[in-house]
Amino acid sequence: MAKIKKGDLVVVIAGRDKGKQGRVLEVIQEKDRVIVEGVQRMTHHVKAGQTNRGSRTGGIETREAAIHVSNVMLVDPETKKGTRVGFRSEEIERDGRTRTVRVRVAKRSGKDI
């Protein structure tokens, strides 16, 4: 189970955007990188072209670039600060069977994420 997932609220702990918070838009597991909303913004030059519904305008766009997963930290839901992530095993009974599920836990407050 991954410590950081799509949709999590994270804070950047290293780099030029240190201290910024944002939601995770995408996780790239092969490269250990995440794309965070509003963080690591880069300019991208787009050529005007045709799409299915008409012409696309060209120009300079700003978009988020990937940042390494070690440079972000999950935000604790209780204290609203960065926290490390741990796991806790939990027994769940469903359809007459018991299953063991790993639950993410914020180490700062001990709350489930």
Side-chain angles (χ1 to χ4, degrees), residues 27-106:
V27 177
I28 306 167
Q29 288 185 340
E30 303 84 41
K31 297 182 179 180
D32 290 332
R33 293 186 167 268
V34 292
I35 297 177
V36 182
E37 184 179 27
V39 175
Q40 195 75 12
R41 308 243 340 145
M42 301 285 181
T43 57
H44 186 77
H45 295 263
V46 178
K47 186 175 181 180
Q50 288 187 337
T51 60
N52 295 341
R53 289 185 238 147
S55 62
R56 184 178 72 189
T57 59
I60 299 173
E61 293 179 355
T62 57
R63 56 174 67 162
E64 289 90 0
I67 186 170
H68 199 269
V69 73
S70 66
N71 293 332
V72 295
M73 188 177 259
L74 204 64
V75 173
D76 189 356
E78 187 173 291
T79 62
K80 305 294 186 220
K81 294 183 180 178
T83 182
R84 293 182 291 161
V85 179
F87 292 96
R88 178 174 44 82
S89 295
E90 194 173 275
E91 297 282 330
I92 294 178
E93 187 171 335
R94 190 177 351 165
D95 300 332
R97 294 188 290 179
T98 58
R99 293 189 175 178
T100 304
V101 178
R102 289 176 57 180
V103 179
R104 294 187 303 166
V105 177

